[in-house]
């Protein structure tokens, strides 16, 4: 069994309230869940208007599949024009960990 995780640190564009922030972050989380069947959520910086941290996790028996799906998740978030991807942290956990 392999578990892969991503943590995205995002800078949001023209956002002036937490309500506007939710209107940007929620569609990204929903699209990740819908397109790739991953677990995704806003996991940090909830009190900051222009910053967001989104976490993604995936479990599979094939490490290549996990890597491929996480690559596609990263490309999707990086391509969103309303956010700037500041950093991505990727981790893999296997049976031997």
């Amino acid at each position: 069994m392999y578990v892969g995780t991503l943590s995205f640190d995002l800078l949001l564009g023209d956002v002036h309230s937490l309500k506007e922030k939710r209107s940007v972050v929620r569609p990204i989380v929903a699209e990740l869940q819908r397109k790739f069947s991953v677990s995704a959520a806003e996991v940090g910086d909830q009190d900051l208007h222009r910053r967001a941290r989104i976490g993604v996790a995936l479990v599979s028996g094939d490490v290549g599949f996990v890597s491929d799906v996480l690559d596609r998740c990263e490309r999707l978030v990086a391509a969103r024009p309303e956010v700037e991807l500041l950093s991505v942290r990727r981790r893999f956990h296997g049976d031997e960990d």
Side-chain angles (χ1 to χ4, degrees), residues 10-21:
L10 304 174
L11 178 64
L12 308 180
D14 190 28
V15 173
H16 303 289
S17 70
L18 293 176
K19 185 176 180 179
E20 289 177 5
K21 176 183 179 176

Side-chain angles (χ1 to χ4, degrees), residues 34-53:
R34 187 182 68 252
K35 280 191 171 183
F36 305 115
S37 297
V38 295
S39 295
E42 184 178 1
V43 295
D45 297 331
Q46 283 97 343
D47 57 339
L48 301 176
H49 295 192
R50 296 200 59 225
R51 295 290 292 270
R53 195 168 296 274

Side-chain angles (χ1 to χ4, degrees), residues 3-77:
V3 179
T5 62
L6 290 174
S7 177
F8 298 106
D9 185 12
L10 304 174
L11 178 64
L12 308 180
D14 190 28
V15 173
H16 303 289
S17 70
L18 293 176
K19 185 176 180 179
E20 289 177 5
K21 176 183 179 176
R22 281 193 307 272
S23 72
V24 172
V25 173
R26 281 188 179 170
I28 295 171
V29 170
E31 188 173 6
L32 287 165
Q33 292 169 335
R34 187 182 68 252
K35 280 191 171 183
F36 305 115
S37 297
V38 295
S39 295
E42 184 178 1
V43 295
D45 297 331
Q46 283 97 343
D47 57 339
L48 301 176
H49 295 192
R50 296 200 59 225
R51 295 290 292 270
R53 195 168 296 274
I54 295 176
V56 173
L58 175 67
V59 177
S60 177
D62 179 9
V63 71
F65 176 76
V66 172
S67 181
D68 180 54
V69 171
L70 294 182
D71 286 344
R72 290 188 283 152
C73 289
E74 188 174 341
R75 284 194 298 270
L76 181 139
V77 172

Side-chain angles (χ1 to χ4, degrees), residues 76-95:
L76 181 139
V77 172
R80 298 294 292 238
E82 67 273 21
V83 299
E84 180 181 342
L85 183 58
L86 298 177
S87 68
V88 180
R89 183 174 182 176
R90 181 182 295 228
R91 291 181 140 181
F92 288 99
H93 309 278
D95 287 333

